[in-house]
Amino acid sequence: MGALRERIEAGPGGPFDDRSWRSPLRGPWLTSVLALVLLVGLLVVIVTGLLSYAAYDPVLGGSNEQTPARGLLGAYLFPWPTSPAWLYRVNQGTHVLLGIALIPVVLAKLWSVAPKLFEWPPVRSPAQALERLSLLMIVGGILFLIVTGVMNIQYDYAWGFSFYTGHFYAAWVFIAGFAAHVALKLPVMVRSLRSRSFVKEMGVATRDTVAEPRDPDLLVSRNPAEATISRRGALAVVGGGSLGLLALSVGQSIDPLRPTALLSPRGQSYGDGPNDFQVNTTFGETGVDPAETGALWRLQLVGPAGRVVTLRREELLTMSMVSEELPISCVEGWSTSQRWTGVRLRELAALVDGADEDSVFVESLQKGGAFSTHSLSGRQVRAARTLLALKVNGVDLSLDHGFPARIIVPAAPGVRNTKWVRTMTFGRPA
Amino acid sequence: MSPDAGRTTEPSDAAPGLDPVEHRSRAGDANPSPDGPDRPDGADRAPTRRPGAAFRRLYGAGPLHLVAMLLAVALSVYAVTRILDDPSVVRIALWFVGAALVWDLVLGPAVALADRLLQPLHRVGALNHVRVPLLGSGLLLLVWAPSILQRSEGVVRTKAGLDQDVFLGRWLLITAVLFAVSAALYVLRSRRHRA
């Protein structure tokens, strides 16, 4: 029995033998530098993510509410504003671009604490057992969020569940673990960062790089090898990876830089015509007969008291036209700013006495798409810059961009700008 | 991002058997409490009368640790129960746990192994000149794999009206540039070294 116990205490060897972890770079200081970057960066990603959910005005129901079981997880929701017009563009561009740029930092952080995963014995106390569970929440959570986010922006839906459902609920599991981890580890992080000067460390060459003093968390190798890269070099590789990813992605959100987004699906140009900008549901995908968009098309406005007004496109064109420079900003992070011309939505609402309602329910000619019907809030209906656009950049909308008419709302997610609008019902919940 | 930078030129003395004494002493000198060394763990010392010492001995950390953990678990459990009757919950859980396992047990070790194989390059000062472009190229592949491998060609065509066939070439080109720049730096550096 004694021999067996000794065998068990000795551990299975391999990565469970702490002498097999030999990098002299691992240690609380390096981990804490990466942790500090993630603390700040992930806080921004979390906040912009939660704001992005609010930007759909989920309380309006229907396709606005992609996660109807949210319960208290939606307790923070608030009516989404309509200005500044770039609000969602900046919010979502930040969420996606920063999320991508942090991937190397996340992976480096995981590398820096990898020996902890293979600690032996795996559990020494209830506290440690709970902490390991919380680490699964963080590690599984952040990797799940990265994988689903990165796949979603590339239209790879291999996971087979709703992106909204997965990304939203997993985010809350991650947030829970992240908050507890920060609360417990913040003092360790601060102490470790103070253990050496960042500036001085950035002057240490590879040949002078040695392991940190042994630490209570056992991150420092007990059997360090000779350094093959300095901490400066390692941080430069991580930072270079982040900057490289950022440089190759930022063009998806900034029109003049678009060709630089070499590997992003949204780096490609459609040409240089007035309708040659990013599309997210082509007309071909809708299954709509083009004839329905022609002379037969009518816009139907339904008021709260049942008043119905039907308009032909030519009649809309005789109403007072306004032009607004407004962005289309996708939840996927890409965006593009264009000059739209059309009728103010509030003027159309007034035709059926619907301008004071809490919402408008917009139906598209599109059949069956997840966002073929969608609601806008009363605030969005009344916003001066919310248009039913008929033209873009001085010419008629193309079929891909929503001809004969589409909604364009300032500051909102792109998918809320319903295309091929058929009916608008004011004051009707979804 | 740097994989395990350890060199294994000298044979490792880590035998799979291990001496348990070493391990016991490790567990002893290390503070198992995640709160840090300034809050000593009662297990190593004579029991004190400090309030909470018994709790600390039984639980392994202070009460605030337990509070933080329970809050985190409670919020997670709440989030999970919201979608317990959603048919996709199993798939979500699989991807959640799978993501951690694939990184910890497949990709992470694969990167470390690849790095071990590159270690002989250190003798000629070329290790980081191969490591860095390889990591850069691997990172781009990891992030943009669905596009580079054209995994969603059809969806991209119908949704965005775009093609995915440009990305493989672009990724290869960026990879080539990374290696070329790194090789040029290596040549410059070794020339300066000789001069």
Side-chain angles (χ1 to χ4, degrees):
Chain A
M1 279 314 272
L4 180 65
R5 176 179 294 174
E6 279 187 13
R7 289 291 301 180
I8 291 171
E9 282 180 4
F16 291 96
D17 174 4
D18 63 354
R19 286 170 301 189
S20 69
W21 296 90
R22 306 209 53 208
S23 170
L25 264 55
R26 277 201 189 88
W29 183 83
L30 187 70
T31 295
S32 296
V33 171
L34 300 167
L36 180 62
V37 175
L38 290 178
L39 173 60
V40 177
L42 288 179
L43 269 178
V44 175
V45 175
I46 288 170
V47 169
T48 48
L50 293 175
L51 287 177
S52 175
Y53 179 49
Y56 283 72
D57 283 316
V59 295
L60 295 176
S63 68
N64 297 66
E65 178 55 284
Q66 292 289 322
T67 48
R70 62 183 146 87
L72 294 173
L73 303 178
Y76 72 92
L77 291 174
F78 56 95
W80 189 248
T82 54
S83 75
W86 45 260
L87 182 62
Y88 190 75
R89 179 179 211 186
V90 170
N91 183 85
Q92 205 54 16
T94 305
H95 181 75
V96 173
L97 291 175
L98 185 57
I100 290 175
L102 286 177
I103 291 173
V105 188
V106 168
L107 298 183
K109 177 76 160 56
L110 292 180
W111 170 83
S112 81
V113 295
K116 304 285 289 173
L117 180 70
F118 297 96
E119 264 180 332
W120 194 266
V123 174
R124 278 195 295 269
S125 67
Q128 201 198 7
L130 276 175
E131 199 159 321
R132 296 205 97 169
L133 178 67
S134 80
L135 289 175
L136 175 65
M137 286 152 58
I138 306 177
V139 176
I142 192 66
L143 293 175
F144 177 94
L145 294 169
I146 288 173
V147 167
T148 52
V150 156
M151 285 172 72
N152 188 61
I153 66 172
Q154 295 173 79
Y155 311 94
D156 185 346
Y157 309 124
W159 359 273
F161 47 80
S162 154
F163 170 72
Y164 291 98
T165 307
H167 211 68
F168 178 77
Y169 292 100
W172 277 105
V173 174
F174 169 72
I175 289 169
F178 181 70
H181 189 66
V182 170
L184 292 177
K185 294 291 191 185
L186 199 63
V188 182
M189 185 188 84
V190 172
R191 202 183 314 131
S192 306
L193 287 174
R194 284 188 180 149
S195 71
R196 56 180 66 200
S197 147
F198 183 86
V199 177
K200 247 187 226 162
E201 187 62 40
M202 290 304 98
V204 177
T206 303
R207 63 180 174 279
D208 301 320
T209 299
V210 292
E212 292 179 51
R214 289 279 286 163
D215 63 319
D217 287 323
L218 304 173
L219 285 177
V220 179
S221 173
R222 209 154 63 93
N223 181 29
E226 180 197 339
T228 54
I229 192 167
S230 60
R231 290 187 183 83
R232 167 183 66 192
L235 289 177
V237 170
V238 176
S242 288
L243 288 179
L245 284 174
L246 190 62
L248 284 174
S249 311
V250 71
Q252 67 176 4
S253 307
I254 300 175
D255 290 302
L257 296 181
R258 196 162 304 275
T260 66
L262 285 177
L263 296 175
S264 156
R266 295 306 181 163
Q268 294 183 67
S269 162
Y270 289 77
D272 46 17
N275 268 292
D276 289 337
F277 55 93
Q278 302 296 315
V279 179
N280 213 14
T281 298
T282 58
F283 183 74
E285 198 198 346
T286 62
V288 176
D289 180 352
E292 289 183 65
T293 66
L296 292 173
W297 181 79
R298 298 287 183 277
L299 173 69
Q300 191 175 50
L301 305 171
V302 182
R307 183 165 176 192
V308 177
V309 169
T310 304
L311 294 164
R312 287 182 294 127
R313 196 165 188 277
E314 299 73 54
E315 291 171 311
L316 285 166
L317 285 165
T318 61
M319 295 179 67
S320 63
M321 289 282 157
V322 285
S323 291
E324 297 283 357
E325 174 90 20
L326 288 172
I328 287 195
S329 325
C330 188
V331 68
E332 294 155 11
W334 60 266
S335 54
T336 177
S337 192
Q338 306 294 334
R339 188 153 190 83
W340 310 90
T341 303
V343 186
R344 287 202 175 96
L345 204 63
R346 65 186 187 195
E347 288 187 22
L348 294 171
L351 292 178
V352 290
D353 307 319
D356 296 327
E357 294 303 312
D358 290 338
S359 65
V360 60
F361 181 68
V362 185
E363 294 167 80
S364 170
L365 291 172
Q366 185 188 0
K367 292 158 192 84
F371 287 87
S372 56
T373 63
H374 193 76
S375 292
L376 300 179
S377 67
R379 181 192 291 219
Q380 287 169 324
V381 171
R382 287 183 286 277
R385 302 182 74 187
T386 302
L387 304 182
L388 181 73
L390 305 169
K391 300 179 174 212
V392 65
N393 300 320
V395 301
D396 278 344
L397 292 168
S398 68
L399 276 174
D400 279 345
H401 286 302
F403 183 88
R406 75 171 302 169
I407 300 282
I408 187 86
V409 191
V415 79
R416 303 195 63 184
N417 303 306
T418 307
K419 300 197 277 194
W420 314 291
V421 172
R422 172 168 56 94
T423 304
M424 288 193 274
T425 308
F426 294 87
R428 182 192 132 184
Chain B
M1 213 30 241
S2 157
D4 205 333
R7 281 212 298 154
T8 48
T9 41
E10 74 265 39
S12 165
D13 59 352
L18 294 178
D19 66 84
V21 182
E22 190 61 36
H23 261 257
R24 266 201 292 274
S25 74
R26 172 173 77 119
D29 70 22
N31 184 351
S33 153
D35 290 353
D38 51 348
R39 294 193 211 164
D41 182 85
D44 291 347
R45 290 141 211 270
T48 66
R49 277 163 204 246
R50 243 183 81 207
F55 177 87
R56 198 170 272 277
R57 200 166 51 243
L58 280 174
Y59 174 64
L64 282 179
H65 183 281
L66 181 60
V67 171
M69 285 298 129
L70 290 182
L71 283 175
V73 171
L75 178 52
S76 296
V77 168
Y78 180 76
V80 173
T81 54
R82 299 311 300 169
I83 49 166
L84 224 43
D85 54 357
D86 188 313
S88 60
V89 72
V90 177
R91 271 169 179 266
I92 294 174
L94 282 177
W95 277 75
F96 194 102
V97 176
L101 290 181
V102 166
W103 176 259
D104 286 334
L105 302 181
V106 182
L107 283 179
V111 174
L113 180 68
D115 196 57
R116 289 251 160 124
L117 296 177
L118 293 178
Q119 292 301 318
L121 292 168
H122 187 55
R123 246 171 293 158
V124 286
L127 177 57
N128 289 330
H129 288 276
V130 175
R131 230 185 208 171
V132 173
L134 202 57
L135 273 174
S137 172
L139 178 68
L140 291 177
L141 179 62
L142 195 64
V143 173
W144 299 113
S147 297
I148 292 169
L149 305 177
Q150 289 174 253
R151 287 184 39 86
S152 38
E153 182 78 28
V155 188
V156 172
R157 175 117 295 280
T158 54
K159 267 182 81 86
L162 294 169
D163 290 320
Q164 274 189 319
D165 54 10
V166 295
F167 298 115
L168 177 62
R170 287 179 181 181
W171 173 69
L172 289 172
L173 196 66
I174 295 170
T175 300
V177 169
L178 287 174
F179 273 98
V181 169
S182 186
L185 287 174
Y186 178 70
V187 170
L188 280 177
R189 190 175 276 181
S190 11
R191 266 199 202 147
R192 207 172 40 187
H193 206 68
R194 251 178 280 146

